[in-house]
Amino acid sequence: MSDFVPGIELSRAFYHEVVAPLVPGVAHSAALVGPGSEVLAFDTARSADHDWGPRVLVFVPAGSVAEVRAKVAAGLPERFRGYPTVFAYHGQVRPGVTVTDLSGWLVGRLGFDPRAGVSLLDWLSVPWQRLAEVTCGEVFHDGLAGGGLAAVRAALRWYPEDVWRYVLACQWRRIAQEEPFPGRCGEVGDELGSAVVGARLAREVMRLALLLRRRYPPYAKWLGSALARMPGSTELGESLGVVVAARSWRERQEGLSAAYGRVAALQNRVALAERLDERVRGFHDRPFEVIGGDRFAQALLAAVSDPVIRGLPVVGCVDQLADSTDLLMAPGRARAVTAAVLGLGA
């Protein structure tokens, strides 16, 4: 376990020592992007037990793919630093070097090529995980003419401000819809139901905190790890830990109230909307504490200047519309659902 080398380091060395010498004079870009825990730097020694090895994506003009692919495959050594260079990856045994054209790869992952521009539907129909996979990882070489990976990553680095406000508003709305429920469930003796809703709200707060810090929230396996790496997140993480470990609804409420105050303060510091009171308050005359998530949603929407975005239903991007992995990971489905719900032209 102590000999583990993070995948990004392994792939960087693999490109420079093995792959680059196989493609001299070939205009290309090379990177470790796309799926894989190593792309988001969340890999550990456990990650190496499957779908693991030295990996590089090499992007070349579409007309050169077959030729370069054959040349690379013929020149690969059997092993690199103890790892086979041909191994099982997502059910298919193949070389760790993927040679493809950049536009085709982008359309397959995102549903569009960002170098041609990014529309409102593009922004809202691509899952956060996919946006993270393209903007994280590492580019080892970027030599494609007419704009390569640097241009793609710059275009997708973060939402335009009005889109960001809209997504944040929808995230606050998700909190507003359920914030009194942990207390109400607990009051009638349903501690299990209170715990389930409390955990749901904890997830929404985690996602909100990451979005406020300009980080695309990863999928469930890495959500807590991403929050823990966010500067200044220790106290928020401790509050949410109370929520999920609580044995009573009042203790759960205490943790949620502390967490709400911290993300409210973070929104005020980001200054995308009118500054609001960060304190929790009672839910009507009931003994439940809430932050009043709709206050923050409304303030954000009031600061949106784009009339199209301001006119959207407050339901959000595809991650806020659906939890199905089979939908989120299929760009055509994700785009169709987002377009239909938001009334945007596909």
Side-chain angles (χ1 to χ4, degrees):
M1 300 285 275
S2 61
D3 295 332
F4 173 71
V5 177
I8 199 77
E9 295 182 20
L10 180 67
S11 294
R12 183 190 307 122
F14 184 50
Y15 170 72
H16 288 295
E17 296 175 26
V18 174
V19 180
L22 296 177
V23 290
V26 176
H28 70 280
S29 293
L32 186 63
V33 291
S37 56
E38 63 268 46
V39 172
L40 303 185
F42 290 133
D43 54 328
T44 67
R46 179 68 63 203
S47 306
D49 65 3
H50 71 286
D51 294 338
W52 182 264
R55 293 198 301 118
V56 176
L57 283 79
V58 176
F59 301 102
V60 298
S64 304
V65 169
E67 178 185 353
V68 175
R69 182 180 293 152
K71 187 174 184 179
V72 169
L76 285 178
E78 289 188 5
R79 304 184 75 83
F80 177 74
R81 298 194 177 179
Y83 290 95
T85 61
V86 177
F87 52 92
Y89 187 75
H90 289 230
Q92 182 182 7
V93 177
R94 57 182 177 80
V97 182
T98 297
V99 180
T100 187
D101 70 289
L102 182 55
S103 184
W105 185 84
L106 289 167
V107 171
R109 300 300 299 173
L110 305 174
F112 65 97
D113 185 337
R115 295 175 297 174
V118 186
S119 70
L120 179 58
L121 179 57
D122 293 337
W123 277 119
L124 297 177
S125 65
V126 180
W128 294 321
Q129 175 70 26
R130 286 283 169 92
L131 289 167
E133 289 173 355
V134 174
T135 56
C136 294
E138 185 174 322
V139 177
F140 308 131
H141 177 74
D142 200 24
L144 282 178
L149 284 168
V152 170
R153 286 154 70 89
L156 298 178
R157 184 61 59 194
W158 193 246
Y159 293 120
E161 282 207 351
D162 273 355
V163 179
W164 187 16
R165 288 185 176 98
Y166 172 73
V167 172
L168 287 171
C170 295
Q171 194 62 22
W172 276 111
R173 176 63 63 83
R174 289 176 67 86
I175 290 170
Q177 289 166 346
E178 298 189 352
E179 54 183 329
F181 295 170
R184 182 59 177 145
C185 290
E187 188 182 51
V188 298
D190 181 12
E191 285 293 348
L192 176 59
S194 175
V196 169
V197 180
R200 282 170 56 89
L201 286 164
R203 183 186 77 155
E204 302 306 341
V205 169
M206 293 166 74
R207 288 173 151 189
L208 176 59
L210 289 164
L211 290 167
L212 281 164
R213 294 300 297 268
R214 299 170 64 95
R215 288 163 169 78
Y216 296 120
Y219 77 126
K221 181 166 64 169
W222 303 121
L223 184 59
S225 298
L227 182 72
R229 291 185 183 180
M230 190 179 81
S233 67
T234 301
E235 290 183 345
L236 177 60
E238 290 172 351
S239 298
L240 295 173
V242 169
V243 175
V244 298
R247 303 298 294 177
S248 72
W249 73 265
R250 292 187 183 279
E251 185 183 3
R252 193 168 297 116
Q253 175 177 268
E254 182 179 343
L256 283 168
S257 294
Y260 293 150
R262 291 189 171 94
V263 288
L266 180 54
Q267 174 157 314
N268 281 336
R269 290 197 298 274
V270 172
L272 284 170
E274 174 191 1
R275 187 176 186 86
L276 298 176
D277 187 346
E278 301 163 7
R279 294 170 296 181
V280 294
R281 64 276 325 278
F283 182 69
H284 303 296
D285 59 352
R286 297 181 179 185
F288 312 136
E289 293 179 352
V290 298
I291 190 66
D294 273 332
R295 297 185 296 129
F296 294 88
Q298 290 162 7
L300 285 158
L301 293 172
V304 171
S305 58
D306 186 318
V308 175
I309 296 175
R310 185 178 287 181
L312 293 175
V314 190
V315 291
C317 65
V318 69
D319 284 286
Q320 295 164 320
L321 297 174
D323 280 332
S324 168
T325 299
D326 290 331
L327 187 154
L328 294 173
M329 295 297 104
R333 294 175 189 160
R335 192 176 187 88
V337 166
T338 307
V341 173
L342 299 181
L344 294 172

